[in-house]
Amino acid sequence: MPKYKPRINEKEAIIELIKVIPSYLPYLEITKEQHIAINTYLTLCLHQGEAMKMADFKSYSSEMAADFAEFYEAARPFMKSDSIFDFMFSSESDYTPNIGNLLAYVREARARRIKAHSDVEYENATYHVNEDENGDIIHRLSTLELTITIKEQTGDYKEAFISLENKVPEGFIKTEKLEDVANFFAYMNKYFSKYLKRELDPVGEAFYD
């Protein structure tokens, strides 16, 4: 996955979004019409130097405005935003979509797909997946007492970075919670084994990407 700068302005976000969408396309739930609409909208934004109001985009093409709005509405629950403007967003509004939030949504597509395919249930822990600024996937299991982090090396699944952080001074964890830890490592073993199998047998079954 492409590297990216963590903090950018709106114009840079527009350029970055145009650049990264093709890389994340396999992980996005997006139709051909929505993809065309987004690319058209971003190109128009780039030419005017800022995000375009949806009402103006609808004047350009009502069909593409509707396709864009449909994609944005589906993505909005996953965006980290409580802005009233996002809740008032529509294909006819005088508001602009939040390009920064949309960019973050696209960048998190692969991590969302990986987490969605995990069939492991945890009793006393939470499983998180995210992609860092270098495009590396990070898996994290968190309990009240500890956090286990496994970081992939993109393109090399023979090694992974693993760390364990104790959150209690004594460093003890209830033995009943070890089942969650064991299930997490069993899942990660299966996860990496699938990738390694694909490297040895490129014609074989792919995993999540």
Side-chain angles (χ1 to χ4, degrees):
M1 290 295 109
K3 296 183 179 182
Y4 59 88
K5 295 186 291 183
R7 294 184 180 180
I8 55 180
N9 60 38
E10 185 178 74
K11 185 175 181 180
E12 289 174 327
I14 292 169
I15 295 172
E16 187 71 11
L17 192 51
I18 292 172
K19 183 173 70 174
V20 303
I21 283 179
S23 299
Y24 291 93
L25 204 56
Y27 316 110
L28 290 169
E29 295 184 6
I30 184 173
T31 66
K32 179 179 68 176
E33 291 76 18
Q34 289 171 346
H35 187 197
I36 293 171
I38 293 169
N39 278 347
T40 302
Y41 173 82
L42 293 173
T43 301
L44 293 172
C45 291
L46 191 58
H47 278 281
Q48 71 177 27
E50 60 182 4
M52 175 182 284
K53 294 178 180 179
M54 288 305 298
D56 294 338
F57 187 45
K58 183 177 181 180
S59 297
Y60 178 84
S61 170
S62 59
E63 291 82 5
M64 283 195 286
D67 288 331
F68 187 141
E70 185 178 36
F71 175 78
Y72 195 88
E73 283 294 320
R76 194 171 60 182
F78 300 94
M79 295 182 184
K80 299 178 177 69
S81 174
D82 55 1
S83 170
I84 190 173
F85 299 115
D86 275 344
F87 288 101
M88 298 174 66
F89 177 85
S90 75
S91 62
E92 300 178 351
S93 68
D94 284 327
Y95 302 111
T96 63
N98 190 313
I99 301 297
N101 285 344
L102 191 57
L103 176 59
Y105 170 79
V106 170
R107 284 173 175 162
E108 293 165 0
R110 185 183 175 207
R112 281 196 307 274
R113 177 69 64 86
I114 291 172
K115 185 174 182 180
H117 279 78
S118 172
D119 57 357
V120 182
E121 295 184 3
Y122 300 100
E123 292 293 331
N124 301 288
T126 305
Y127 172 54
H128 303 277
V129 186
N130 69 282
E131 182 173 326
D132 69 10
E133 65 274 8
N134 295 314
D136 295 326
I137 292 293
I138 298 175
H139 307 261
R140 187 174 286 111
L141 186 78
S142 299
T143 73
L144 291 176
E145 297 89 356
L146 58 81
T147 297
I148 301 171
T149 301
I150 298 181
K151 179 178 179 180
E152 300 181 23
Q153 294 188 95
T154 301
D156 181 5
Y157 300 103
K158 296 180 178 66
E159 293 183 334
F161 173 82
I162 301 178
S163 68
L164 189 151
E165 175 191 356
N166 272 311
K167 300 179 183 177
V168 290
E170 301 84 2
F172 288 97
I173 179 174
K174 292 184 180 295
T175 54
E176 65 187 27
K177 297 186 179 181
L178 290 177
E179 183 177 358
D180 286 333
V181 175
N183 288 339
F184 174 65
F185 278 110
Y187 166 72
M188 293 309 304
N189 179 60
K190 175 184 175 183
Y191 177 90
F192 283 109
S193 294
K194 282 281 190 178
Y195 272 123
L196 291 174
K197 179 181 178 182
R198 190 181 64 181
E199 287 184 358
L200 294 173
D201 180 18
V203 184
E205 177 186 7
F207 201 51
Y208 299 143
D209 61 344

